[in-house]
Each structure stands twice: as C-alpha cells, then as structure tokens.
Amino acid sequence: MIKAIRGFKDILPDETGLWQEVEAAAARVLRAFGYQEIRVPVVERTELFARSIGSDTDIVEKEMYSFPDRHDASLTLRPEATAGVVRAVIEHNLAGDGRPLKLWFMGPMFRYERPQKGRQRQFHQLDVEVFNDPTPHMDAEIIILLDRFLGDLGLADVEMHVNSLGCPVCRPDYKETLKVFLRQAKSDLCPDCQRRLETNPLRVLDCKVPRCADIVRDSGAPKITDHLCPDCRAHDASVWSDLGRAGLTRVHRNPFLVRGLDYYSRTTFEARTGELGAQNAVAGGGRYDGLVRSLGGPDVPGIGFAVGLERLTMLLAEQSRAHRPGPDLYVAALDDAAVEASFGLVQATRSSNVTVEIDYQPGSLKSRMKRADKLNAAWVLILGPEELAGGQAILRNMATKEQPFFRLEPEAPDRAAARLTEVIVKPKE
Ligand code: HAM
C-alpha cells in the first residue's frame, strides 16, 4: 500500500467541517477590516527565501524543500507566505501608489521539520500582510485583528506575547551587549546556541533547551526593550497605548520573544497556548519595514502575521467546539415506492439551499430514525406505504418532537418543496 509521505497529512471528511468554519470566520473578520485576497505560487526561487527569511535561520539552513528544475535553477516549496507575497507586491507594483495595501492569503506551506503533535512538513497558514502603513496604530490593529479572529472562534486560553525587536539603528548595539552577556555563559549553552551566539545571538533568547532558557530568564540577560532608540521606544509606547485602549486582556510584554525569521523590525508578536505541548505558537508575526526594499522593491513598510491552521483546528477540536452541523432534513423512505415518490421532492428542496439527505436503499423505520440521529438532522420526513396511501408524510422536528403532517404532491415537486422549505426554514430565522 502506498501511504502519504511522513509529515504530510490528509484532512479527512470528519475534520473539514471545522476547517470550513475557520475559513468562514477568517473571511468575515478580514472583510470587516478591509482586506483583499491574494494567491501566490507554491514554488518560488530558493534565493527569495534565503534573502528574506535569512540564510542562518533554521528554516533556510535545514528545513526547506529545495530542488533543481530541469535547467538547474534552484526552486523551493514555500516554507511561509510572506516572501512570496512581497515578491508579488514588488513584481506587480501593488504598493506603488503609497496607499495602505491590506492582503490575505491561505494555503499549504512546507518545512522539513521533525513531525510531532502540531508540527507537520506540509501545514497550512492563514497569512495576513499590510504594506504602506508605518504607524504604530497598524501594529496594534493587526494584533487586535488576530485577537478578534481567535476570539470569534471561541478560543479560550490564548495569550498574546508582544515585543519590539528594535531597528537597524538600535539592534546592532543590543546584539553586542547580548553577545558579551552570553559569552560569559557560553560553556553552559547548548551546542546550537554556542554557535548561534556569534552569528545570530537573538536566537539564543528563544532556545527551547531548558538550560539555555534558564540562563536567559534567571541570569539577567539584557532586554532589548531597555535598549531601543528613541523612535523605536515611542513607536512601542504608542502600540501599547492602543492595545490598552482596545481593552485586550490577554496581552503580555515578552522582552525575550524572538521569531525564527530574520526580516522583523520593531513590533513582533505570537499567540501562544498551553494546550499544544511544545508547539505552543498558534500564530506569529511582526513588522518588517526593510524587507520590501531588501528584495529590490521600493522603500515600503510592511507588517503581518500567519496563523497555523492545523494548530488552530486542533485546539478547536480539543475544546470540543467541533460540531458537525447536520442536514436540515433527512428523508426516511421506508420502501422502494417511497424512494420513487420522494426523489423529485428531494432534488427540488435542495435547489432552495436546504440541506437534504436521503438513503436510496430503503430500510426499517427504526434503522432510518437511527440514521437521522447519527446525521444530526433537524427534521425527518417519514414516508412509508401507509403515508403514500394516505397522500401525507410525517414531518418530525427532531428537537421539539412535534410531528406535523405534510401533504405529498408527487405531481408537483416544486410546489411541495416550497411548502416543505417554508416549514423547515421558518423556525430557524
Ligand atoms: P512562523 O512563526 O514561522 O511565521 O509561522 C506562523 C505559524 O505557522 C506558527 O505560529 C505555527 O502556528 C504555524 N507553523 C509553522 N511551522 C509549522 C509546522 N511545521 N507545522 C504546523 N504549523 C506550523 C511565519 O511564517 C511568518 N511568515 C508570519 C508573518 C507573516 N510575519 C509577517 N507576516
């Protein structure tokens, strides 16, 4: 038997309902905030990711699916969406008019990581990006947007960690200060951090090895927020003032939050939960003011985030908000004649967007009612030899148990469907 590749997962019929709920919630919130959808390719030139995410990040060093094409150009399955969106914005000059450009994107991403709970090699992101708005209000708004989206889905227990990573003016000095501090503790750091200390010392702050985390937390590592330049400090203060005004309650300042991608400047954030074990970030993002220019575009500021949809749906399922909505109507046809008599009615009722289920192989009343329960149908239309003879079926409301009769009109299925829809849909409104 040929199986799916390790770390690549099917999303099964029982799960897709939840995915659609998430997608619908995203579309609702994003529309309210004025975003437009963009769709970018799955494959880009490897160089795009190396130049944007950073050549000494884990993603670029060891997690990319890269391969030569038939002419030996190095291509890569996108490990994230920001780089591709930025490339498209530059290529089509979408931000050239200087007006804020608000985009969203949803699709699969690929990282060659060790698969575990909440970590796959193919996973999906909802990605949100804003160009041409350098103001701290947009940093706050985008965090509020993420919070609203998670809140709308009913996610409890998600905490927003927010930090500022400074800018090219203040970060180099901070890096030096951090290096000096870390060198004193070098021999206690994990081998990866001993190496990163010199190349990318900020990554040490984010190391998951307990020994490294203890050194950072308990030995007074310098905090970037104490080393911001006046502009970054003012920007950061304004973000926090907006977040306060918006009444966000689960927001924490985390001066040791660093992200696994190098393009960030100033505000960075992550939505974290205690319910996913080691993979605790449901979403992450931040400002990337220098990225568009560094990829050959105009000097356009950017900010965005991405939500990991596997982690999100997993959380929702664990919180048992997963409910599969049943059909509006299940037609219980008890013999072949009942199947014949209801066929036209079923099709006509569906054409007014009522969800109707029927089994074309007839069964006993008991088995049909069991099936209606399993499907979680709101109404059942019971149709057997007696009902056919009398020209009336029983229409049962599964919640109230009320059972009005329904006059069959085999010669006029459209008219019958209209009457049926009237009864079924009205009480829901
Ligand atoms: P990221 O933090 O690398 O950021 O990924 C965002 C989210 O994708 C994570 O918080 C996580 O939920 C999910 N994720 C990442 N890797 C995996 C994996 N292997 N399996 C399952 N889920 C995963 C970015 O990708 C940035 N492009 C976000 C951004 C947009 N920043 C600015 N704009």
Side-chain angles (χ1 to χ4, degrees):
M1 185 185 47
I2 300 174
K3 289 192 170 176
I5 305 166
R6 184 164 134 84
F8 287 63
K9 268 197 179 170
D10 300 305
I11 302 172
L12 297 173
D14 266 355
E15 301 164 309
T16 47
L18 201 51
W19 281 75
Q20 287 164 0
E21 228 175 87
V22 167
E23 286 157 13
R28 244 188 345 261
V29 178
L30 289 161
R31 203 175 313 120
F33 282 75
Y35 283 76
Q36 290 177 293
E37 187 182 4
I38 185 168
R39 299 185 188 188
V40 293
V42 172
V43 180
E44 301 272 1
R45 291 188 183 283
T46 302
E47 188 195 353
L48 174 70
F49 300 114
R51 276 176 53 191
S52 53
I53 297 169
S55 49
D56 52 25
T57 57
D58 284 351
I59 297 180
V60 172
E61 267 183 358
K62 48 189 186 202
E63 295 171 3
M64 294 207 301
Y65 279 90
S66 299
F67 54 94
D69 74 359
R70 288 178 185 279
H71 294 96
D72 272 348
S74 179
L75 306 182
T76 294
L77 295 183
R78 62 184 179 214
E80 56 111 53
T82 312
V85 172
V86 168
R87 183 209 37 76
V89 165
I90 297 170
E91 191 168 332
H92 305 284
N93 193 24
L94 300 181
D97 61 6
R99 280 202 289 269
L101 174 70
K102 298 193 265 186
L103 303 174
W104 70 270
F105 172 64
M106 211 183 290
M109 310 292 154
F110 306 85
R111 294 185 194 175
Y112 196 88
E113 294 189 83
R114 200 167 44 80
Q116 54 175 239
K117 186 181 173 193
R119 193 160 73 191
Q120 294 173 201
R121 290 182 173 171
Q122 174 180 299
F123 60 99
H124 296 74
Q125 285 185 344
L126 164 66
D127 185 72
V128 171
E129 311 288 355
V130 177
F131 298 91
N132 271 335
D133 190 331
T135 73
H137 298 308
M138 187 48 79
D139 305 39
E141 183 179 295
I142 214 159
I143 293 171
I144 293 166
L145 162 60
L146 174 57
D147 187 72
R148 256 281 289 288
F149 170 60
L150 299 176
D152 276 8
L153 285 167
L155 268 198
D157 206 26
V158 175
E159 305 211 319
M160 204 72 78
H161 290 242
V162 182
N163 193 19
S164 171
L165 289 182
C167 68
V169 173
C170 49
R171 200 181 319 156
D173 282 352
Y174 169 70
K175 268 189 178 171
E176 282 312 311
T177 313
L178 184 61
K179 269 188 200 169
V180 171
F181 168 84
L182 291 173
R183 276 184 199 129
Q184 294 165 3
K186 186 168 178 179
S187 55
D188 295 328
L189 295 173
C190 73
D192 267 351
C193 282
Q194 295 197 8
R195 184 176 52 81
R196 285 185 198 133
L197 190 170
E198 298 301 333
T199 55
N200 202 346
L202 267 79
R203 298 289 308 151
V204 178
L205 299 177
D206 198 33
C207 182
K208 300 285 183 288
V209 176
R211 228 172 45 234
C212 300
D214 286 350
I215 290 169
V216 168
R217 229 179 313 107
D218 304 336
S219 331
K223 298 177 177 157
I224 184 141
T225 36
D226 294 331
H227 294 259
L228 297 176
C229 62
D231 283 351
C232 285
R233 214 176 314 128
H235 188 98
D236 188 55
S238 176
V239 173
W240 281 94
S241 152
D242 280 353
L243 291 177
R245 276 193 287 174
L248 257 62
T249 48
R250 292 166 303 169
V251 197
H252 301 283
R253 179 181 276 297
N254 179 350
F256 298 130
L257 170 75
V258 243
R259 311 255 311 113
L261 308 95
D262 276 354
Y263 47 60
Y264 293 112
S265 56
R266 294 192 169 164
T267 312
T268 45
F269 51 94
E270 259 177 30
R272 292 182 177 173
T273 168
E275 292 171 44
L276 285 175
Q279 307 311 316
N280 64 359
V282 187
R287 184 165 274 290
Y288 48 85
D289 286 349
L291 180 59
V292 180
R293 198 177 42 180
S294 79
L295 288 175
D299 193 8
V300 163
I303 179 167
F305 66 80
V307 182
L309 297 182
E310 277 75 9
R311 293 184 192 175
L312 184 59
T313 49
M314 206 182 283
L315 277 177
L316 289 170
E318 275 172 20
Q319 286 186 18
S320 60
R321 286 178 199 279
H323 59 277
R324 181 172 175 232
D328 300 308
L329 177 72
Y330 174 70
V331 177
L334 308 186
D335 62 13
D336 286 329
V339 169
E340 289 296 326
S342 47
F343 187 83
L345 178 65
V346 168
Q347 313 312 330
T349 310
R350 283 177 179 154
S351 62
S352 49
N353 281 337
V354 175
T355 317
V356 186
E357 281 278 8
I358 181 170
D359 288 299
Y360 288 127
Q361 288 174 313
S364 69
L365 180 62
K366 197 171 158 204
S367 75
R368 298 296 82 162
M369 292 314 283
K370 252 196 188 160
R371 173 101 165 109
D373 264 338
K374 189 117 196 259
L375 284 170
N376 194 20
W379 292 81
V380 181
L381 187 75
I382 303 166
L383 205 62
E386 272 175 47
E387 287 74 23
L388 275 184
Q392 285 194 325
I394 297 168
L395 186 56
R396 181 177 168 85
N397 182 322
M398 298 296 277
T400 65
K401 312 293 179 215
E402 142 205 26
Q403 297 206 143
F405 279 106
F406 178 76
R407 187 162 49 82
L408 296 167
E409 238 180 322
E411 68 293 350
D414 287 342
R415 215 162 46 217
R419 281 191 293 112
L420 188 56
T421 305
E422 180 99 334
V423 182
I424 292 173
V425 176
K426 267 242 171 85
K428 286 207 300 195
E429 283 168 354

